[in-house]
Amino acid sequence: MEKVISRLFDLYLIQHRHYLVQYPGGYYITRTPDQSFPIRRYMIEEHLEGKKTLGTFAGKYLTKFICFDVDYRNENIAKWITYKIVDTLENAGIRDYAVSFSGSKGYHIDIFLNKAISVQSARKFFELVVKFAEIDEGAEAAAHGQVEFRPTDKQGVKLPLGIHQKTGNYCGFCRIEDRLKVMDCDESVAFLFSLKKIDSNVVLDFIAENAPTYDQYDAEDMEDVVGKYTPLSTYVSVKKSPPMYSMGTLVIYD
C-alpha cells in the first residue's frame, strides 16, 4: 500500500494543498490552499480503499501530467474518441501513456512528464492533439460530450484506482488492445508501476515551443509556496448538470 501511495504522489501531485474529495452519493468538497489542510498519505489510502475519492489540480503555473478527459454519454463514442486520441499520440511518437475508466461516462488519458512544464504549454499540446485527432468540437457534437483539458488550477481530475462514489464503479486502468476493458485492482496496481514518464521536451517540441522545464521538487516547492498566498477558485464541475445547491466549498450534484 505504501508503495502505491508514493507512486500516485510521484505521478499525479505537483502541489498538496488544492484538491477535491468525492463522498458517497457523488458530492464534492474542495480543499483550497488557504485552508492549510494538505493531502496526507492516509487520505490516499482511503481513496484506494474506496471510502472517499480524491482528485487533484495542477499548480497555479505548472503541471507534471496532462489529462485528456473524454466524457461522452454514449459508451461506444467515448471509446472511439479515446482510440482516436491514443492513435494521434502514438503517431507523434508518444507511446507511454495511461488510459483509465472515469467511473461514469468516459476515460482519462494521462501523460506523465519527467519535468514540470507550464499549464499554458500543456494546454497547447492538448489542443493540437485534439485538432490532429479530428475530433469535432462543434456545438452539435458538444451536446453529446466533449474532451476536456485537465488538470488546471481551477478544474481538477479524479485520481485513478478509486471508486466513483456516485456510480460505484472502479476507476481502473484499461488497455487499448483489450478494447478498454477495465482492469481489476491487482492488475491496475501492477500497471501503475509499469508506467513511464516521457521527456517533457517531447511535448515542447510537438508545440514548437522553447519553454523552461522544472525538476519535480523545485516545482512542488514553488507551487506549495505560491498556493499558500494565492487564493484559488473552488472546483467547477466538469459535468453540465447545474448544482442543486451550493454552500461554501460543498457542492451537491444530481
Side-chain angles (χ1 to χ4, degrees):
M1 179 72 79
E2 286 299 313
K3 291 182 178 179
V4 177
I5 294 171
S6 295
R7 185 64 169 159
L8 289 174
F9 266 104
D10 178 46
L11 292 176
Y12 288 93
L13 274 66
I14 195 169
Q15 50 74 37
H16 303 158
R17 295 180 177 274
H18 190 204
Y19 58 95
L20 59 91
V21 185
Q22 185 188 39
Y23 291 91
Y27 67 89
Y28 290 90
I29 289 180
T30 296
R31 297 290 185 181
T32 54
D34 55 297
Q35 294 171 321
S36 299
F37 190 74
I39 287 182
R40 302 296 188 189
R41 295 181 70 86
Y42 79 85
M43 298 167 67
I44 302 289
E45 183 173 353
E46 290 180 338
H47 169 87
L48 294 169
E49 292 173 345
K51 297 176 180 177
K52 303 171 186 175
T53 301
L54 293 181
T56 186
F57 294 81
K60 182 67 175 175
Y61 304 105
L62 304 176
T63 187
K64 63 179 182 179
F65 81 100
I66 302 169
C67 175
F68 296 79
D69 184 0
V70 179
D71 186 8
Y72 285 82
R73 295 186 183 91
N74 184 290
E75 179 183 357
N76 290 326
I77 293 178
K79 287 185 175 182
W80 177 60
I81 295 295
T82 300
Y83 293 148
K84 292 183 71 173
I85 293 173
V86 166
D87 185 63
T88 302
L89 291 174
E90 292 191 346
N91 286 335
I94 298 173
R95 294 178 173 81
D96 292 312
Y97 54 81
V99 180
S100 61
F101 180 45
S102 71
S104 181
K105 297 182 293 184
Y107 301 89
H108 296 161
I109 306 166
D110 300 327
I111 299 172
F112 308 101
L113 309 172
N114 68 337
K115 291 187 178 182
I117 63 174
S118 72
V119 175
Q120 182 181 14
S121 294
R123 185 184 290 276
K124 287 181 181 179
F125 173 81
F126 168 90
E127 291 173 349
L128 272 180
V129 170
V130 169
K131 177 182 177 180
F132 292 154
E134 298 182 343
I135 295 171
D136 188 355
E137 297 182 278
E140 183 177 348
H144 301 284
Q146 58 189 324
V147 183
E148 297 180 291
F149 171 68
R150 297 289 186 271
T152 71
D153 67 324
K154 295 180 176 63
Q155 292 178 303
V157 62
K158 294 192 298 296
L159 298 177
L161 309 189
I163 299 294
H164 190 293
Q165 297 295 331
K166 188 171 184 179
T167 65
N169 292 327
Y170 179 63
C171 301
F173 289 113
C174 315
R175 289 189 177 91
I176 294 295
E177 57 268 31
D178 291 336
R179 299 184 179 182
L180 296 177
K181 177 183 176 182
V182 182
M183 302 179 198
D184 64 23
C185 180
D186 290 340
E187 292 173 318
S188 292
V189 168
F191 187 78
L192 177 72
F193 286 100
S194 74
L195 296 175
K196 297 178 181 179
K197 299 178 183 180
I198 70 168
D199 187 334
S200 301
N201 288 314
V202 172
V203 170
L204 299 178
D205 289 345
F206 188 81
I207 61 175
E209 184 170 279
N210 184 18
T213 59
Y214 301 84
D215 289 331
Q216 176 178 334
Y217 295 110
D218 289 339
E220 290 179 357
D221 287 345
M222 186 183 86
E223 290 295 353
D224 275 341
V225 170
V226 169
K228 288 180 183 179
Y229 302 105
T230 307
L232 298 174
S233 300
T234 55
Y235 179 69
V236 178
S237 173
V238 300
K239 309 301 180 188
K240 298 303 180 182
S241 299
M244 292 170 59
Y245 63 85
S246 175
M247 180 176 65
T249 56
L250 170 62
V251 181
I252 309 297
Y253 296 96
D254 292 332

